[in-house]
């Protein structure tokens, strides 16, 4: 009783003596309690026990709350970092070539996640509830509006409110993982035997052993065919035909992952080895069934996520932190821009023919086509015989970009370079006791030019990771708003790879992006934004029709793809009701992930345009570092504080204008 009174007195005292902040404090408190109550279950205790818990753990003063914030930040940094360091060690044999050969236990442990039960544990020891009642969750809209006035610490506190927002039971997570694994396996086994394809007059265009995975390999083959002046277009038309059969779910099931029969995609007929036409059935609506299974699995999660009750909100508002509607209008503005028509006419001139729908994959702006790659490889192999040589050169790369010698040395000291078994990648640090990891694939003969180009991209990731971990004021703000923002840093470095070579002349000028590179990126944004629009619209449709059959989803997806095509692509590439935009396999195995790709370039061009004002390398590097020390604000607020504007496509359109207006007309 005495204690209770004391608490009550403290609250009253706090309210009366600190009028200005007390309203805000009370507002925080009731909101957090409300959110905690929504996640509190019978297993956690009775209503009375909840009330008692709140009374005991709700901070009574601002200074108590600040102390709690610091304590929770320290706990989370240690948990995340230690778990990550364990993962890195366990994965060493399976991921790196400078470790022992992986044995069976290493493969078993490669699937182990030390944090898999972290959230459950924090709810059962009630640390999650201590966090929620004192640091409530704010919606994206609230962060974007209230956040304009928040101090860095208030932002950090808001990020703490994002940590424990859901309480999804293990069996629900398991069923989601299963649905995604099924979709992944379906896509991984979806090969087209190109040697079995026949033209209508019976010609075979590809060798017997050519097998391509849909859609990535089909698309890459289509891109490579621009260089084949003899048969390129005939083959491209054939791939286009195959893709339409896949989307429309008309492909014979015998034509998937098998070369037992020959297939004429135009008439859609099969022949056996003796040349006899064979009746066939289309694959059932498996493609759409897999998507529907993933949707149903994700929907079972909805009731456990009171602050984000649909998979769409979880993906966009909470994941990307830009709403699906905002992305939708950003993308429509670009795909509907005049610049698309201008670049299309450049492509038409280069190809010397009218454009076809598959020219969304036009690959002729090869900025590096004129490079002598062999000569470059000779240079990079000599420079970087192994990973250690690249590591030793990192301070010079940073200095060349404009960093001071001491900053360059310090940033590089937090990055380790490791030889990867698979493709190159960056592995971020999750705390200030571990290094960011740059993984690169180097042959015994040294790093070839392609490997160098990728290594510089990954270096751009790791520099960003060090800046917003080691040089940041609040651990809860470490990182970037979303994947697009780290990709932007990686692109920024990657596109300067040639100028970073020691042989490149030191002009003292800021390093810049080439014109062909701009057009190449713009055209790929035009393509992938269309695909993203289809993906997002399909998910909206699924939530409006949760009980739809796979066949109904197929019909809806086709109709969505046609609408987007007819509005933004038919005027440029022709062909009414084309379904090509629904071919991406990501739509099946990584739902709603596609928008991240074009977003990376949007961010990159906003940064490029802003950084262009900083004409010396030193000023450029200082500004780049200031921006990447902003940390995990929302994408909108980050961009406002970085360049003074919200996310916008204007900079990329401006860049395209500059390139196309300076180009001599080829008419
Ligand atoms: Zn990257």
């Amino acid at each position: 009783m005495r204690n209770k009174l004391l608490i009550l007195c403290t609250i009253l005292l706090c309210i009366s003596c600190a009028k200005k902040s007390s309203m805000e404090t009370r507002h925080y408190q009731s909101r957090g309690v409300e959110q905690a109550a929504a996640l509190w279950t019978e297993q956690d205790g009775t209503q009375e026990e909840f009330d008692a818990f709140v009374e005991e753990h709700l901070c009574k003063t601002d200074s108590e709350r600040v102390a709690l914030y610091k304590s929770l930040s320290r706990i989370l940094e240690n948990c995340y970092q230690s778990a990550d360091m364990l993962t890195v060690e366990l994965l060493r044999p399976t991921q790196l070539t400078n470790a022992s050969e992986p044995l069976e236990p290493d493969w078993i442990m490669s699937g182990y996640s030390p944090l898999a039960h972290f959230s459950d544990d924090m709810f059962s020891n009630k640390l999650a509830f201590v966090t929620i009642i004192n640091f409530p969750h704010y919606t994206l809209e609230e962060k974007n509006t209230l956040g304009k006035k928040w101090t860095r610490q208030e932002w950090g506190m808001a990020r703490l409110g994002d940590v424990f927002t859901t309480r999804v039971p293990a069996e629900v997570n398991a069923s989601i993982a299963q649905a995604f694994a099924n979709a992944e396996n379906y896509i991984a086994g979806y090969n087209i035997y190109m040697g079995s394809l026949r033209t209508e007059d019976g010609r075979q265009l590809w060798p017997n052993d050519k097998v391509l995975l849909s859609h990535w390999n089909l698309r890459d083959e289509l891109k490579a065919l621009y260089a084949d002046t003899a048969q390129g277009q005939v083959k491209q038309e054939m791939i286009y035909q195959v893709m339409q059969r896949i989307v429309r779910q008309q492909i014979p099931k015998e034509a998937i992952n098998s070369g037992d029969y020959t297939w004429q995609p135009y008439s859609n007929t099969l022949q056996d080895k003796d040349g006899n036409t064979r009746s066939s059935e289309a694959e059932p609506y498996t493609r759409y069934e897999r998507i529907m299974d993933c949707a149903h699995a994700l929907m079972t999660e909805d009731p456990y996520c009171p602050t984000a009750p649909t998979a769409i909100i979880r993906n966009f508002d909470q994941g990307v932190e830009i709403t699906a509607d905002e992305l939708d209008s950003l993308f429509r503005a670009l795909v509907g821009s005049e610049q698309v028509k201008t670049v299309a006419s450049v492509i038409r001139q280069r190809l010397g023919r009218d454009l076809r729908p598959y020219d969304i994959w036009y690959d002729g702006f090869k900025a590096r086509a004129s490079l002598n790659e062999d000569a470059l490889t000779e240079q990079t192999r000599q420079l970087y015989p192994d990973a250690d040589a690249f590591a030793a050169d990192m301070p010079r790369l940073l200095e060349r970009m404009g960093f001071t010698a001491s900053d360059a040395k310090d940033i590089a000291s937090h990055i380790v370079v490791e030889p990867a078994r698979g493709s190159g990648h960056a592995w971020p640090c999750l705390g200030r006791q571990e290094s960011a990891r740059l993984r690169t694939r180097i042959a015994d003969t040294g790093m070839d030019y392609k490997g160098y180009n990728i290594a510089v991209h990954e270096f751009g990731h790791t520099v960003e990771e060090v800046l917003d971990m080691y040089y940041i004021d609040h651990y809860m703000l470490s990182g970037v708003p979303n994947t697009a923002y780290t990709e932007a840093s990686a692109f920024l470095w990657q596109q300067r790879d040639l100028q970073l070579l020691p042989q490149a002349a030191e002009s003292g000028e800021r390093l810049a992006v080439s014109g062909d590179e701009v057009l190449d990126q713009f055209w790929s944004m035009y393509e992938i934004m269309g695909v993203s629009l289809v993906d997002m619209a399909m998910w909206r449709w699924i939530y409006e029709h949760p009980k739809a059959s796979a066949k109904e989803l197929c019909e809806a997806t086709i109709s969505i793809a046609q609408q987007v095509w007819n509005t933004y692509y038919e005027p440029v590439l022709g062909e009414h009701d084309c379904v090509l935009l629904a071919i991406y396999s990501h739509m099946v195995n990584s739902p709603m992930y596609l928008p991240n790709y074009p977003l990376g370039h949007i961010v990159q061009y906003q940064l490029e345009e802003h950084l262009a004002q900083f004409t010396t390398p030193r000023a450029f590097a200082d500004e780049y570092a200031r921006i990447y020390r902003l940390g995990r604000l929302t994408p909108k607020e980050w961009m406002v504080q970085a360049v003074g504007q919200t996310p916008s496509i204007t900079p990329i359109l401006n860049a395209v204008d500059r390139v196309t207006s300076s180009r001599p007309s080829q008419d």
Side-chain angles (χ1 to χ4, degrees):
M1 192 64 198
R2 240 194 81 172
N3 265 345
K4 269 192 182 172
L5 260 178
L6 204 77
I7 289 164
L8 196 67
C9 289
T10 319
I11 295 171
L12 287 172
L13 198 73
C14 174
I15 292 168
S16 58
C17 70
K19 274 183 186 142
K20 201 163 165 256
S21 66
S22 63
M23 280 310 288
E24 208 168 54
T25 310
R26 282 173 76 194
H27 170 64
Y28 283 146
Q29 290 172 349
S30 60
R31 183 188 177 107
V33 173
E34 213 171 286
Q35 289 177 357
L39 291 163
W40 185 277
T41 65
E42 268 173 35
Q43 275 173 323
D44 300 311
T46 61
Q47 180 65 51
E48 290 70 36
E49 283 167 321
F50 177 73
D51 293 342
F53 181 88
V54 170
E55 197 158 296
E56 187 184 347
H57 294 283
L58 191 59
C59 292
K60 312 303 178 294
T61 64
D62 283 348
S63 63
E64 248 184 71
R65 194 159 169 266
V66 171
L68 180 65
Y69 164 72
K70 288 181 180 162
S71 160
L72 289 169
S73 300
R74 190 189 67 83
I75 290 168
L76 289 176
E77 178 172 2
N78 278 291
C79 290
Y80 293 159
Q81 171 171 257
S82 301
D84 190 57
M85 285 160 86
L86 174 59
T87 304
V88 165
E89 282 309 317
L90 293 178
L91 289 179
R92 206 168 269 284
T94 53
Q95 287 199 334
L96 301 179
T97 59
N98 64 349
S100 53
E101 276 303 307
L103 299 176
E104 196 49 35
D106 299 313
W107 288 110
I108 292 174
M109 292 311 283
S110 72
Y112 172 73
S113 162
L115 284 182
H117 304 283
F118 180 68
S119 181
D120 282 348
D121 292 346
M122 295 306 112
F123 273 104
S124 60
N125 69 16
K126 298 203 170 49
L127 188 96
F129 288 111
V130 173
T131 309
I132 301 166
I133 58 173
N134 290 290
F135 304 99
H137 170 74
Y138 286 89
T139 64
L140 176 61
E141 205 194 327
E142 288 168 330
K143 286 193 192 94
N144 278 333
T145 48
L146 302 175
K148 286 179 189 162
K149 291 192 181 138
W150 282 345
T151 61
R152 297 280 299 170
Q153 183 167 282
E154 283 169 324
W155 265 105
M157 289 177 170
R159 282 306 183 197
L160 202 43
D162 292 340
V163 178
F164 302 107
T165 54
T166 63
R167 208 178 173 184
V168 183
E171 62 272 20
V172 172
N173 279 328
S175 80
I176 293 171
Q178 188 59 56
F180 276 76
N182 292 348
E184 181 65 42
N185 291 340
Y186 172 69
I187 290 300
Y190 204 120
N191 291 297
I192 302 296
Y193 282 61
M194 303 305 281
S196 299
L197 301 183
R198 294 291 181 274
T199 60
E200 288 306 290
D201 55 6
R203 280 179 299 135
Q204 178 178 346
L205 300 176
W206 282 273
N208 285 339
D209 59 352
K210 184 94 169 176
V211 177
L212 299 178
L213 183 69
S214 177
H215 79 286
W216 294 283
N217 293 163
L218 289 173
R219 176 203 60 191
D220 292 345
E221 173 76 1
L222 203 149
K223 283 184 167 198
L225 286 167
Y226 283 102
D228 179 352
T229 45
Q231 274 204 309
Q233 213 192 342
V234 180
K235 288 177 164 179
Q236 286 175 327
E237 290 286 344
M238 177 76 99
I239 294 175
Y240 173 43
Q241 191 61 29
V242 170
M243 287 177 160
Q244 292 181 80
R245 295 290 182 200
I246 294 172
V247 171
R248 291 179 181 278
Q249 201 70 78
Q250 293 165 336
I251 183 168
K253 57 180 188 296
E254 296 86 348
I256 301 169
N257 219 20
S258 158
D260 291 347
Y261 301 93
T262 59
W263 176 36
Q264 292 176 309
Y266 287 93
S267 56
N268 209 16
T269 51
L270 286 184
Q271 262 116 35
D272 63 21
K273 292 251 151 52
D274 302 322
N276 302 317
T277 302
R278 189 183 173 283
S279 68
S280 72
E281 269 176 46
E283 185 204 27
Y285 291 89
T286 321
R287 182 181 179 84
Y288 299 94
E289 210 171 283
R290 291 290 171 273
I291 299 175
M292 220 54 213
D293 288 348
C294 288
H296 288 150
L298 287 170
M299 284 171 182
T300 58
E301 201 180 12
D302 294 353
Y304 303 102
C305 308
T307 54
T310 74
I312 301 174
I313 298 178
R314 287 193 290 282
N315 187 74
F316 291 106
D317 298 38
Q318 289 198 346
V320 184
E321 293 199 316
I322 301 180
T323 65
D325 287 347
E326 281 173 304
L327 284 174
D328 200 275
S329 46
L330 209 54
F331 291 179
R332 281 178 198 272
L334 186 138
V335 298
S337 69
E338 277 307 306
Q339 282 79 356
V340 166
K341 288 174 187 149
T342 312
V343 177
S345 72
V346 175
I347 298 175
R348 200 174 298 119
Q349 278 172 356
R350 291 196 180 187
L351 289 175
R353 60 163 170 79
D354 282 342
L355 298 187
R356 298 282 296 138
Y358 50 79
D359 290 323
I360 53 170
W361 290 304
Y362 174 71
D363 202 32
F365 294 122
K366 273 284 156 252
R368 276 137 215 272
S370 57
L371 291 180
N372 183 343
E373 209 173 306
D374 290 342
L376 285 169
T377 288
E378 213 168 290
Q379 275 184 45
T380 55
R381 276 190 182 150
Q382 245 178 21
L383 264 177
Y384 308 121
D386 50 36
D388 290 346
F390 190 88
D393 202 32
M394 290 190 302
R396 186 193 62 79
L397 293 171
L398 284 154
E399 280 187 62
R400 178 78 182 91
M401 198 65 136
F403 286 91
T404 64
S406 70
D407 282 351
K409 205 171 145 219
D410 190 64
I411 292 170
S413 74
H414 299 300
I415 302 172
V416 294
V417 184
E418 295 169 325
R421 285 189 192 278
S423 59
H425 59 271
W427 186 288
C429 42
L430 297 189
R432 283 162 287 188
Q433 278 164 29
E434 68 165 340
S435 303
R437 294 168 189 281
L438 191 166
R439 265 82 183 268
T440 171
R441 196 179 172 129
I442 302 187
D444 290 343
T445 47
M447 190 184 271
D448 62 15
Y449 170 65
K450 272 202 183 72
Y452 166 73
N453 176 266
I454 295 169
V456 174
H457 174 101
E458 306 308 341
F459 187 50
H461 280 303
T462 51
V463 172
E464 164 266 301
E465 285 154 8
V466 170
L467 287 174
D468 56 43
M469 174 60 73
Y470 284 87
Y471 290 74
I472 205 158
D473 46 0
H474 288 263
Y475 176 74
M476 290 314 300
L477 288 176
S478 62
V480 282
N482 63 41
T483 20
Y485 289 68
T486 175
E487 285 309 327
S489 170
F491 292 143
L492 209 115
W493 281 82
Q494 186 177 17
Q495 295 196 330
R496 289 162 172 80
D497 70 333
L498 293 177
Q499 293 135 301
L500 290 169
L501 284 168
Q503 286 87 341
E506 283 236 24
S507 65
E509 275 179 28
R510 194 185 65 89
L511 311 178
V513 187
S514 83
D516 267 356
E517 197 110 38
V518 172
L519 297 190
D520 188 50
Q521 281 163 4
F522 177 72
W523 198 248
S524 77
M525 286 165 87
Y526 173 55
E527 173 243 340
I528 206 149
M529 282 180 177
V531 179
S532 305
L533 287 172
V534 173
D535 191 27
M536 292 192 285
M538 182 184 79
W539 275 85
R540 273 195 296 271
W541 187 90
I542 290 174
Y543 260 91
E544 283 157 14
H545 305 84
K547 294 206 167 76
S549 68
K551 181 170 181 283
E552 286 166 328
L553 175 63
C554 172
E555 287 161 0
T557 306
I558 287 174
S559 144
I560 290 165
Q562 289 171 334
Q563 278 168 26
V564 175
W565 184 270
N566 295 345
T567 314
Y568 302 107
Y569 295 80
E570 187 189 350
V572 180
L573 300 160
E575 206 140 303
H576 192 63
D577 278 349
C578 172
V579 297
L580 202 53
L581 296 172
I583 188 63
Y584 263 67
S585 293
H586 299 81
M587 287 178 68
V588 183
N589 70 351
S590 317
M592 299 179 274
Y593 187 75
L594 285 164
N596 286 307
Y597 292 104
L599 204 52
H601 288 303
I602 291 180
V603 177
Q604 176 202 352
Y605 277 89
Q606 281 194 274
L607 292 187
E608 290 283 4
E609 186 164 274
H610 171 75
L611 289 168
Q613 305 164 60
F614 298 84
T615 47
T616 65
R618 176 64 47 82
F620 178 91
D622 283 349
E623 183 62 1
Y624 164 83
R626 177 193 72 82
I627 289 172
Y628 274 101
R629 284 199 311 265
L630 290 171
R632 218 159 57 84
L633 308 174
T634 57
K636 218 180 231 179
E637 188 57 26
W638 190 96
M639 198 53 95
V640 168
Q641 293 193 24
V643 309
Q645 276 172 350
T646 55
S648 154
I649 58 159
T650 309
I652 173 78
L653 297 183
N654 290 343
V656 170
D657 285 343
R658 279 194 296 274
V659 175
T660 48
S661 63
S662 65
R663 237 160 234 271
S665 168
Q666 291 168 23
D667 283 329

